[in-house]
Amino acid sequence: MTAEPVAGAAWRRRPRWLTALPAFLPSLLLPLLLLVAPPAFAWNAAGHRISALIAWERLDERTKAAVAAVLRQHPDYERWQARSKDADADRAAFLEASTWPDDIRRDRRFYTAGHAPPTPTLQGFPDMERRLAWHYVDRPLHPGHKARPSPGALARQLTALPKILCDPESSAAERAYALPWLIHLVADAHQPLHAASRNRPNGDDDSGGNEQQIFNPLQPKHPSTNLHSYWDELPGKPWLRGKRLASTAKVLTLLYPPTAQAEDDATQWLEESWQLARQAAYPGGDNAVLTISAEFQARALEITGRRLGQAGYRLAGQLQRLFSGAGRQCST
């Protein structure tokens, strides 16, 4: 697998996106909401685990076994087990794999191309590049305006990774490397600011909201941040696991059940995220620093919960197709 160009990317007890929901929840959901405590580290951890668990619970046993067999070949499998402490080793690997492409941003075994020299390639890896550009695509919000091409490779990888997984010529190591990336990137594709950037008159863009500063009075301890981080952090803080993770995923599946229509097209997922970015990802106004209102926050939280659920359902559907039968069949 070849390295892609790299560009910079950002990264209460109760999850904020759930706190905003009781006003319109049916009363039968309130007992479940009371069970939900802190989720985790945004779409970079909490969101990825939530979507991954929703997907895992929808897989049939044959697909779970095939997926688990691939993940057992990953060089970091034992690290995942030690960190998770989940009694179900297969589920543990799946959930930990969902955050692995973000975890390696802080792992000194890996390097960022263009910013540091390559580190020694360890057994089982194609190389140790962090591949930051795989996480986003940054399509301009206003296509008619001047815009520079995005180095983001998210769309390409959502096509390339399934092909590796269902190619009978792929090695065990290639599949074990590709699968965590696919689990992760399906969720990334559902974050609006992983699919769009606001372009400026000079042709520059705001890097998916990373360069758009905001003031959030609803978060008095840390009111100043950038818009991309704001969206990334909506699911919560980084320690959501176990029963609390299960409760959160359960609430989301009740709030946002899957639709009947086929939704297996990654191009569609990215188009939805782009449309959401245009319609709802940016607070109103043209000030250098935008302010988060209560109304904007409520809408953002609803979008977050819905997109996490959709990512889980769609990931499950894709894995069912990729790992049907013996686990190496593509039923496309």
Side-chain angles (χ1 to χ4, degrees), residues 204-221:
D204 291 339
D205 61 55
D206 67 2
S207 299
N210 278 292
E211 297 177 16
Q212 175 60 64
Q213 297 302 304
I214 64 164
F215 177 76
N216 185 3
L218 305 173
Q219 182 65 280
K221 289 187 178 180

Side-chain angles (χ1 to χ4, degrees), residues 52-67 94 162 165-166 179 182-183 186 264 269 311-332:
L53 183 58
I54 290 172
W56 181 258
E57 296 298 335
R58 293 179 65 81
L59 299 179
D60 61 38
E61 293 304 314
R62 177 177 288 184
T63 303
K64 285 181 179 178
V67 166
F94 191 79
L165 289 168
C166 62
L179 182 53
L182 181 64
I183 296 167
V186 169
D264 58 356
W269 311 339
Y313 302 140
R314 291 163 172 178
L315 174 61
Q318 187 169 56
L319 294 177
Q320 289 282 162
R321 289 184 294 277
L322 291 172
F323 290 90
S324 61
R328 284 202 193 176
Q329 301 298 316
C330 283
S331 55
T332 55

Side-chain angles (χ1 to χ4, degrees), residues 265-290:
D265 183 359
T267 301
Q268 176 188 336
W269 311 339
L270 292 169
E271 173 68 19
E272 291 168 356
S273 287
W274 182 75
Q275 292 288 354
L276 286 169
R278 293 193 75 186
Q279 298 162 9
Y282 285 79
D286 54 7
N287 295 331
V289 178
L290 301 177

Side-chain angles (χ1 to χ4, degrees), residues 17 36-41 45-47 49-50 235 237-246 248-249:
W17 58 268
V36 179
F41 187 45
R49 290 195 194 104
I50 292 167
K237 304 275 182 193
W239 48 80
L240 184 67
R241 297 180 187 274
K243 293 181 179 179
R244 290 169 174 174
L245 172 63
T248 303

Side-chain angles (χ1 to χ4, degrees), residues 13 19 90 102 131 141 172 195 220-221 234 262 280 300:
R13 295 263 321 188
T19 304
D90 293 346
D102 279 346
R131 308 189 193 282
L141 281 187
K221 289 187 178 180
L234 283 171

